[in-house]
Amino acid sequence: GEIVDDYQTEKEQWEDIKRLGREYGPWIIAGILISVVGLYGYRFWQARLETRGVEAHQRYADVLSDLYRGKVDDALRTIGDLDAHLSGTPYADQSRLALAGWYVDQGRFADAAAALTRVMDGSGDKVLRLIARLRLARVLAQEKKPDEALKLLDEAGSGAFDARYQEARGDILLAKGDRAGALAAYRAAASSSIPGVVNEDLLKLKIADLADVAPPPADTAAATPGAGKCTAAT
């Protein structure tokens, strides 16, 4: 079997080490042993990382289950445990994104904003930070803070998921009553060269709903706030 083969291989390696010791002296044995210990130390570390990843994933699944059942206190305890013992994995941040979604469903926008802000400011994963920023902007818009939401989008910088941010900008501008600005943002989102970033059919409907909006004069289009601006998220 596989275990027997491994044992035989290790036994043969040990015999080779003893033979080399007789031929070349103890100094070379020390070098070989250091290499062997390093190899097994690396394998142990890799196995530990895999074990931590599996455990963290299970805790994340527990968070989702608790939120589904409305047991937010249990979910918060599990997230705290992830922070304390499994901080090297992304699952605490992903759990907070799920928690924020639950808060939004409950109309608890301030709590959602707090969870999203922590991920946006503290996650070691750039993609998760961008996701949190986008969702936080939408939460701020729900809280009737559109200018704060737009500022948050503006500060993201450029990136591969610009279309999602542009669409969010359009939604916020439309809610403010700026139909021309919304149309410009939707068109910028539609012009993205990366397919699948947004729901293209829904975006076309949003653009069609603003078909009555007159285009800005050519000499003022460049001055339109947010026009052509690239932002990044998912």
Side-chain angles (χ1 to χ4, degrees):
E2 204 171 287
I3 296 177
V4 174
D5 292 341
D6 288 342
Y7 171 76
Q8 289 175 339
T9 299
E10 292 175 4
K11 185 176 180 181
E12 290 168 359
Q13 290 174 350
W14 181 246
E15 292 298 328
D16 287 340
I17 290 173
K18 291 194 291 183
R19 178 179 58 78
L20 288 171
R22 290 193 297 269
E23 295 179 7
Y24 298 104
W27 62 270
I28 198 170
I29 293 179
I32 294 172
L33 287 176
I34 289 172
S35 298
V36 170
V37 170
L39 174 62
Y40 279 94
Y42 173 76
R43 288 178 177 174
F44 172 79
W45 178 248
Q46 287 294 102
R48 183 171 181 271
L49 288 179
E50 291 176 4
T51 300
R52 281 169 56 84
V54 171
E55 183 180 356
H57 185 272
Q58 180 57 54
R59 299 291 178 86
Y60 172 61
D62 291 342
V63 170
L64 297 182
S65 176
D66 288 337
L67 292 176
Y68 177 76
R69 294 180 294 168
K71 296 184 175 182
V72 67
D73 290 338
D74 290 344
L76 287 169
R77 279 192 290 270
T78 302
I79 292 172
D81 194 46
L82 281 166
D83 287 334
H85 305 295
L86 296 163
S87 59
T89 72
Y91 289 106
D93 293 328
Q94 292 184 3
S95 294
R96 282 193 174 83
L97 293 178
L99 175 66
W102 186 87
Y103 281 142
V104 168
D105 288 342
Q106 302 300 311
R108 295 170 58 175
F109 298 120
D111 289 330
L116 292 168
T117 298
R118 178 160 178 175
V119 177
M120 181 183 73
D121 291 340
S123 177
D125 188 312
K126 180 180 179 180
V127 172
L128 293 182
R129 292 198 304 270
L130 292 170
I131 291 172
R133 181 179 290 271
L134 174 61
R135 294 182 183 178
L136 179 56
R138 291 196 177 277
V139 167
L140 290 173
Q142 287 279 353
E143 289 190 292
K144 310 301 182 185
K145 300 176 181 178
D147 293 330
E148 290 183 34
L150 291 170
K151 184 175 184 292
L152 203 65
L153 295 176
D154 289 344
E155 292 173 347
S158 61
F161 299 102
D162 173 67
R164 292 287 295 276
Y165 268 41
Q166 290 288 10
E167 183 179 19
R169 169 184 287 282
D171 292 343
I172 295 167
L173 289 172
L174 185 60
K176 285 186 67 175
D178 183 357
R179 292 169 61 81
L183 179 59
Y186 290 148
R187 285 175 171 165
S191 67
S192 172
S193 59
I194 304 176
V197 176
V198 295
N199 184 326
E200 296 178 6
D201 291 335
L202 179 59
L203 193 57
K204 288 177 181 177
L205 289 175
K206 291 180 179 182
I207 292 172
D209 285 341
L210 296 171
D212 61 311
V213 176
D219 58 347
T220 62
T224 301
K229 182 177 182 63
C230 289
T231 49
T234 178

